[in-house]
C-alpha cells in the first residue's frame, strides 16, 4: 500500500512531494488516511487502557465537553468539526511549506494559542495582539529574509515537521484536568493527537491544505454528528 510507504518517508524526512489527483482520487485518499489514523489511534488508546487496567495509569477525564456544555448541538458541531479544524490546520499545517504568507499565518495562529492558553488573556486581546504580531512579521520580511527562511525550511524540513507536530499536540493537554500524573504520562496522553497530526500533515503535504481540513473535520465531527442524529 503506497500510503504506508509514504508514511515511512514522511517519518524519516518530514516531507512528502505533492501529487496531482482528481476529486475522486482525493476523496479516496482522504478515506484511506482516515482509516489508517483510526487504526493507529486504536493502538494508542489500547496502550492507555492496558495501563489503566493494571493500575499503572488512570485515564484522565476529558473536560472539553464541559467547556462546550452551554452551546447548542449544532453550534458544538460547528465549533468542533468546522471552525476548530480550519483554524488548527492553518496554524499548524500551512507552515509546513514555506512562503511569506504561510509563515505569517502560522505565526498568527501560534501566537493566538499561546496568548489564550498560557497567558489566559481575553479572546479579543488575543486576536488583536496575534494579528499585530503577524502584520509586523509580514512587513519585516523583505526578499532577502524570504530567501533566507526558504533555505532554512528546506534544510530543516524534519525539525520543522516534528516541531509543528509537537506544538499542535501539547496544547491538547488542556483538554484534561492537569495533575502530576497527567504530566508524567503526557506522552501517552498526547500520542493519539500526535498520530492525528501526523496524518493531517500527510494530507497537507501530499494533497493540499483542503484535504487536511476535510480529514480533520471528519475525524472531529463524525461522533458528534452520529450522536445528534440518534437523539
Amino acid at each position: 500500500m503506497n500510503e504506508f510507504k509514504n508514511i515511512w518517508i514522511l517519518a524519516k524526512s518530514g516531507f512528502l512531494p505533492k501529487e496531482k489527483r482528481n476529486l475522486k482520487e482525493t476523496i479516496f485518499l482522504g478515506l484511506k488516511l482516515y482509516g489508517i489514523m483510526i487504526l493507529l489511534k486504536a493502538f494508542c488508546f489500547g496502550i492507555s487502557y492496558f495501563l489503566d487496567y493494571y493500575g499503572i495509569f488512570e485515564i484522565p477525564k476529558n473536560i472539553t465537553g464541559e467547556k462546550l456544555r452551554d452551546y447548542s448541538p449544532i453550534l458544538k458541531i460547528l465549533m468542533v468539526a468546522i471552525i476548530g479544524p480550519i483554524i488548527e490546520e492553518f496554524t499548524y499545517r500551512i507552515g509546513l511549506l514555506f512562503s511569506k504568507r504561510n509563515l505569517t499565518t502560522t505565526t498568527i495562529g501560534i501566537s493566538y494559542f499561546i496568548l489564550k492558553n498560557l497567558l489566559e488573556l481575553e479572546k479579543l486581546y488575543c486576536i488583536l495582539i496575534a494579528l499585530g504580531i503577524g502584520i509586523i512579521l509580514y512587513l519585516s520580511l523583505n526578499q532577502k529574509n524570504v530567501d533566507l527562511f526558504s533555505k532554512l525550511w528546506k534544510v530543516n524540513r524534519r525539525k520543522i515537521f516534528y516541531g509543528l507536530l509537537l506544538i499542535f499536540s501539547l496544547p491538547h493537554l488542556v483538554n484534561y484536568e492537569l495533575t502530576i500524573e497527567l504530566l508524567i504520562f503526557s506522552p501517552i496522553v498526547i500520542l493519539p493527537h500526535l498520530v492525528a497530526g501526523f496524518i493531517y500533515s500527510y494530507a497537507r503535504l501530499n494533497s493540499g491544505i483542503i484535504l487536511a481540513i476535510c480529514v480533520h473535520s471528519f475525524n472531529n465531527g463524525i461522533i458528534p454528528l452520529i450522536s445528534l442524529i440518534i437523539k
Side-chain angles (χ1 to χ4, degrees):
M1 192 175 182
N2 191 50
E3 277 65 45
F4 287 109
K5 178 182 177 182
N6 283 343
I7 284 173
W8 177 244
I9 293 172
L10 180 59
K12 289 194 302 180
S13 66
F15 180 76
L16 280 178
K18 188 173 182 180
E19 298 179 19
K20 290 185 178 181
R21 296 182 178 87
N22 57 36
L23 180 59
K24 182 179 179 180
E25 291 170 337
T26 301
I27 293 173
F28 187 53
L29 173 64
L31 291 174
K32 286 195 290 184
L33 290 178
Y34 178 73
I36 292 171
M37 179 172 64
I38 291 301
L39 289 174
L40 293 175
K41 289 179 73 172
F43 174 76
C44 297
F45 287 125
I47 295 174
S48 296
Y49 283 110
F50 176 83
L51 295 175
D52 182 80
Y53 180 80
Y54 285 99
I56 300 172
F57 165 63
E58 183 178 352
I59 297 175
K61 180 182 178 182
N62 194 312
I63 61 175
T64 304
E66 297 179 8
K67 298 176 183 178
L68 300 173
R69 186 169 48 189
D70 297 331
Y71 291 83
S72 68
I74 298 297
L75 189 54
K76 284 181 183 178
I77 292 176
L78 181 66
M79 294 287 292
V80 171
I82 299 178
I83 296 176
I86 290 174
I87 292 175
E88 289 189 340
E89 291 310 304
F90 274 98
T91 297
Y92 301 111
R93 249 66 69 181
I94 197 75
L96 288 171
L97 297 178
F98 175 77
S99 74
K100 185 176 180 178
R101 182 178 59 187
N102 289 354
L103 179 60
T104 301
T105 302
T106 292
T107 300
I108 291 173
I110 292 176
S111 297
Y112 172 81
F113 281 111
I114 290 174
L115 292 166
K116 187 174 183 296
N117 294 325
L118 296 183
L119 301 183
E120 297 183 344
L121 299 180
E122 291 188 18
K123 185 175 291 186
L124 178 59
Y125 293 143
C126 295
I127 293 173
L128 292 176
I129 294 173
L131 285 174
I133 292 172
I135 291 171
I136 292 172
L137 174 64
Y138 188 86
L139 294 176
S140 66
L141 287 175
N142 54 34
Q143 190 57 49
K144 182 180 179 180
N145 290 331
V146 168
D147 293 340
L148 179 63
F149 274 106
S150 182
K151 292 178 182 178
L152 183 67
W153 248 245
K154 289 179 181 179
V155 173
N156 298 282
R157 283 172 172 168
R158 187 168 59 178
K159 292 178 182 178
I160 291 168
F161 172 78
Y162 282 108
L164 287 173
L165 192 57
L166 280 174
I167 295 172
F168 163 73
S169 302
L170 287 173
H172 285 86
L173 287 175
V174 302
N175 293 342
Y176 310 93
E177 183 180 352
L178 292 179
T179 63
I180 297 298
E181 184 183 38
L182 177 68
L183 295 176
I184 293 173
F185 288 93
S186 57
I188 300 296
V189 176
I190 68 169
L191 191 56
H193 302 292
L194 285 168
V195 167
F198 189 97
I199 296 299
Y200 303 150
S201 299
Y202 181 119
R204 188 272 182 273
L205 290 169
N206 195 239
S207 183
I209 194 66
I210 299 300
L211 182 62
I213 292 172
C214 289
V215 176
H216 195 158
S217 296
F218 189 77
N219 181 54
N220 282 16
I222 185 65
I223 293 178
L225 184 60
I226 291 174
S227 300
L228 179 63
I229 292 173
I230 292 175
K231 290 181 180 180

